[in-house]
Amino acid sequence: MIGNVNCIEIESLDHPGLEVYSRLTEAGLRGDGEIFIVESPKVISVALDSGLVPVSLLCERRHIAGQAAGIIARLDGVPVYTGDREVLAALTGYVLTRGVLCAMRRPEARSACEVCRGARRVAVLDSVVDSTNVGAVFRSAVALGVDAVLLAGGACDPLCRRSVRVSMGAVFLVPWARFDGGPDALRAMGFRTVAMALADSSVPLDSPLLRNEERLAIIIGNEGDGLPPATVAAADYVVRIPMAHGVDSLNAAAAAAVAFWELRVR
């Protein structure tokens, strides 16, 4: 025991309570379940600060009195499973990032209208399925003043392990929701819509037309196919990022960061 924390030495990989950690392949714990996983003390701290509820901690023994000590001190009554690096790697299927994992309870889902209430800049990820891109977009959204993120068309779960890690906890700092509408539904919530796409009708990102818009929804498309033609046709603005040397497009996460900066509230 450390304070009110129950430290449990792992002697068997089938110890009760370890099931969630034994499914830590990308396919096995992709997201959308009741429990999700947070890695590293820094990101776990962000999650706790955001009010998320821990279920258990998995920690290399050497970190209990080291980099995990501050986290453990906050886990009143939460079991802390511990063991050597080799034992934990055998359990999870990979060497733990910074030696610390925390299983947390997924927060209640929110509606698009709820998270967009009062927002001036919203990012809409339409079928962005790469977890690294989703995490990077959330990190840029927090850093560059985006007020909410909407996930459309089967976009990757922001609480999957890799998205959480890449975002450095930003997925806990900006409200987000699933969204099954299009530009018309965004307009009904009071937004002018910006479709990021290469099209004959597109205007450059730094166009003065965009700077004075009070509320903008910035729609980012799938990594391979971009936005559906119907979404592009229905948007108020179709916008391209001016580029040099014959480059026609950027990675979805990089394009989102550029757009968030240029279209930020001034």
Side-chain angles (χ1 to χ4, degrees), residues 134-173:
V134 170
V137 169
F138 268 83
R139 191 170 184 181
S140 295
V142 169
L144 301 175
V146 171
D147 301 307
V149 177
L150 300 180
L151 301 151
C156 176
D157 176 28
L159 297 185
C160 80
R161 182 173 62 86
R162 183 172 292 172
S163 289
V164 172
R165 185 177 72 239
V166 171
S167 80
M168 290 300 295
V171 294
F172 311 130
L173 300 177

Side-chain angles (χ1 to χ4, degrees), residues 7-122:
C7 288
I8 303 167
E9 184 75 20
I10 297 173
E11 298 179 354
S12 169
L13 298 186
D14 59 3
H15 193 289
L18 293 178
E19 296 83 5
V20 64
Y21 299 106
S22 66
R23 301 200 309 270
L24 281 185
T25 62
E26 287 304 320
L29 195 65
R30 187 160 294 165
D32 296 322
E34 293 183 1
I35 304 296
F36 69 100
I37 297 296
V38 184
E39 298 182 47
S40 87
K42 182 175 181 179
V43 181
I44 294 168
S45 290
V46 175
L48 293 173
D49 291 344
S50 301
L52 293 173
V53 179
V55 174
S56 65
L57 194 80
L58 182 66
C59 176
E60 287 183 33
R61 185 187 299 104
R62 64 192 180 97
H63 292 315
I64 289 178
Q67 62 179 347
I71 297 297
I72 291 173
R74 302 176 65 178
L75 301 181
D76 188 11
V78 174
V80 175
Y81 300 103
T82 185
D84 293 329
R85 169 175 290 207
E86 294 75 14
V87 174
L88 302 191
L91 172 67
T92 64
Y94 70 103
V95 176
L96 272 62
T97 302
R98 300 191 181 277
V100 186
L101 297 176
C102 187
M104 291 191 151
R105 201 165 301 285
R106 178 177 288 268
E108 290 188 15
R110 303 173 70 179
S111 70
C113 288
E114 180 184 0
V115 302
C116 290
R117 190 175 296 118
R120 298 179 65 185
R121 295 293 183 269
V122 170

